[in-house]
Amino acid sequence: MGLRIRLVLCGLFMVLMMCCIGIQADQLQVDFYQKTCPQAENIVREEVFKALSKIIELAAGLVRMHFHDCFVRGCDGSVLIDSTPGNTAEKDSPINNPSLRGFEVIDSAKTRLEAQCKGVVSCADILAFAARDSLAFTEMIIPYEVPAGRRDGRVSLSSETFANLPGPNFNVSQLTQSFQKQNLTQKDMVTLSGAHTIGRSHCGSFQNRLYNFNSTVSQDPSLDANYAAELKSQCPQGSTNTSLVVPMDPTSQNTVDSNYFKNILKNRGLFISDQTLISDTATAPLVRANAVFGGIWKAKFYDAMVKMGRIGVLTGTDGEIRLNCRVIN
Ligand code: HEM
Ligand SMILES: *[C@@H]1O[C@H](CO)[C@@H](O)[C@H](O)[C@H]1NC(C)=O
Ligand SMILES: *[C@@H]1O[C@H](CO)[C@@H](O)[C@H](O)[C@H]1NC(C)=O
Ligand SMILES: *[C@@H]1O[C@H](CO)[C@@H](O)[C@H](O)[C@H]1NC(C)=O
Ligand SMILES: *[C@@H]1O[C@H](CO)[C@@H](O)[C@H](O)[C@H]1NC(C)=O
């Protein structure tokens, strides 16, 4: 083949490749607001850091909020919408209320962004940035870049939450299915479960493991006995106090690390959905690897957060840019 023909073929190939990349980039882009609102990401980061320097626990709240946004109608900011007289929104589903927290942080970022660049930065993107910055705060590094350009949805239904969000009593096949429904793999599921390295849980999410577990055993035998005793003292049987909470990872509750996986190896996973990851032949090796190679888990975790952030996004002219994250325009 002549050199010229080879060059032409090579050129054609390059054009094809760029088309492919172009199709990808059409969806979401890093530095999406570079021209339209260059300070967007800095403003979000400032507001997140300001809030977290007062209440560091909100970091966990914002990471979970992004997850709950993405799994219900895609990452479209629908979790931020307030209920109205005619509609019970996602945030008022029992799966989110009262446990979800950090809404004020999104509001304060949005207020500043509207003052600076009116109607430009979507609530869905603010939430994706805020989740990243929450992980950045404890790390003191920028963990990953957030491809942006999400548009905001106009629908938020409490009735859609339970069918789309996994529950703390799920077994591995239910967990896998729940993530598969969002085009995430079983590996992504195990990796992302490591988010339970930060934050807290209300007693109600795991109390069934402590008392009257089933008709033959009173306590979940897959739960370490000493840990169960600690949890029982924190969550007394028959307590009506719905404010009681325990750390998800008592060894390091505000640090993003792989202790979550180490805890599972010691039968100290808080939820059935955490502990069960060691009971399945497909997921157990992943748990063991993540426990040992924390740095590798963290890199996978950041990649999986970016992947999760792409679920069902609205782009281009779909949806809207909400002016107030709590209210559709
Ligand atoms: C694998 C299936 C999952 C289940 C069954 C699950 C379930 C739960 C439950 C029941 C809570 C406690 C809520 C409460 O009672 O206060 C919780 C907390 C939390 N979850 Fe998950 N989750 C899962 C995956 C994820 C993922 C993928 C992320 C993020 C990437 C995440 C991030 C968090 C965080 C950060 C908290 C602590 C929230 C806070 O302190 O405010 N979870 N999760
Ligand atoms: C997981 O739970 C579902 C629903 O309860 C059940 O049908 C299934 O058999 C369980 N799978 C395993 C492997 O335990
Ligand atoms: C998953 O992928 C399929 C096929 O590409 C697509 O039709 C579907 O909308 C995706 N689901 C989500 C939640 O992104
Ligand atoms: C109760 O739980 C134990 C431990 O998980 C299990 O082996 C047993 O089969 C369960 N019994 C019933 C009746 O479900
Ligand atoms: C419920 O628990 C919370 C958190 O531990 C505590 O601050 C509060 O005083 C308790 N309320 C009652 C009525 O015991």
Side-chain angles (χ1 to χ4, degrees), residues 28 75-76 149-154 312-316 318-320:
L28 297 178
C75 315
D76 68 342
R150 295 168 190 78
R151 308 259 306 172
D152 295 324
R154 298 174 47 85
V313 291
L314 302 170
T315 54
D318 292 344
E320 63 184 20

Side-chain angles (χ1 to χ4, degrees), residues 213-217 219-222:
F213 182 61
N214 68 19
S215 57
T216 54
V217 292
Q219 185 172 304
D220 184 344
S222 73

Side-chain angles (χ1 to χ4, degrees), residues 14-279:
M14 296 283 284
V15 167
L16 257 170
M17 288 299 290
M18 287 176 52
C19 281
C20 293
I21 293 163
I23 286 161
Q24 274 283 319
D26 224 8
Q27 283 289 302
L28 297 178
Q29 276 168 262
V30 170
D31 274 335
F32 182 81
Y33 297 107
Q34 194 177 30
K35 293 210 176 75
T36 53
C37 191
Q39 288 306 308
E41 293 195 45
N42 289 336
I43 289 174
V44 175
R45 182 171 304 118
E46 278 173 25
E47 291 305 310
V48 170
F49 281 17
K50 202 198 300 173
L52 298 191
S53 52
K54 288 186 203 128
I55 313 175
I56 194 171
E57 288 81 6
L58 289 181
L62 290 164
V63 171
R64 182 170 183 239
M65 195 187 291
H66 182 43
F67 159 52
H68 280 208
D69 185 29
C70 293
F71 269 51
V72 184
R73 283 187 178 260
C75 315
D76 68 342
S78 55
V79 74
L80 303 168
I81 295 175
D82 278 351
S83 294
T84 56
N87 182 58
T88 308
E90 287 171 30
K91 62 160 61 151
D92 287 320
S93 159
I95 209 166
N96 288 327
N97 186 358
S99 58
L100 218 55
R101 51 178 172 169
F103 293 106
E104 336 65 67
V105 185
I106 304 299
D107 289 336
S108 54
K110 182 62 172 174
T111 302
R112 277 188 64 193
L113 286 168
E114 285 306 298
Q116 180 120 5
C117 347
K118 197 167 172 49
V120 169
V121 184
S122 71
C123 298
D125 278 344
I126 295 174
L127 182 48
F129 295 143
R132 183 269 311 273
D133 296 339
S134 294
L135 295 168
F137 187 75
T138 51
E139 295 287 277
M140 301 309 288
I141 52 146
I142 297 177
Y144 54 91
E145 294 195 293
V146 176
R150 295 168 190 78
R151 308 259 306 172
D152 295 324
R154 298 174 47 85
V155 177
S156 177
L157 301 169
S158 165
S159 58
E160 291 183 338
T161 54
F162 278 100
N164 290 294
L165 289 164
N169 294 323
F170 274 20
N171 62 33
V172 171
S173 53
Q174 291 171 301
L175 290 167
T176 304
Q177 257 182 35
S178 163
F179 278 65
Q180 211 161 50
K181 198 172 160 186
Q182 311 291 344
N183 293 336
L184 297 177
T185 65
Q186 186 178 62
K187 279 191 181 137
D188 295 330
M189 182 273 287
V190 175
T191 303
L192 285 167
S193 292
H196 289 172
T197 175
I198 53 172
R200 49 94 156 125
S201 169
H202 291 76
C203 292
S205 302
F206 57 87
Q207 209 148 9
N208 60 323
R209 303 183 74 193
L210 308 177
Y211 309 106
N212 303 322
F213 182 61
N214 68 19
S215 57
T216 54
V217 292
S218 68
Q219 185 172 304
D220 184 344
S222 73
L223 184 61
D224 172 81
N226 292 323
Y227 187 38
E230 274 171 51
L231 292 172
K232 280 178 170 177
S233 75
Q234 296 171 94
C235 302
Q237 184 168 25
S239 168
T240 52
N241 188 342
T242 51
S243 312
L244 295 177
V245 293
V246 307
M248 307 270 277
D249 170 8
T251 57
S252 54
Q253 59 173 304
N254 291 316
T255 316
V256 179
D257 57 29
S258 69
N259 285 351
Y260 165 81
F261 296 102
K262 292 184 181 161
N263 294 342
I264 292 177
L265 296 184
K266 296 178 196 150
N267 295 324
R268 285 168 174 258
L270 184 59
F271 302 143
I272 287 175
S273 62
D274 298 319
Q275 192 58 46
T276 195
L277 298 177
I278 201 69
S279 71

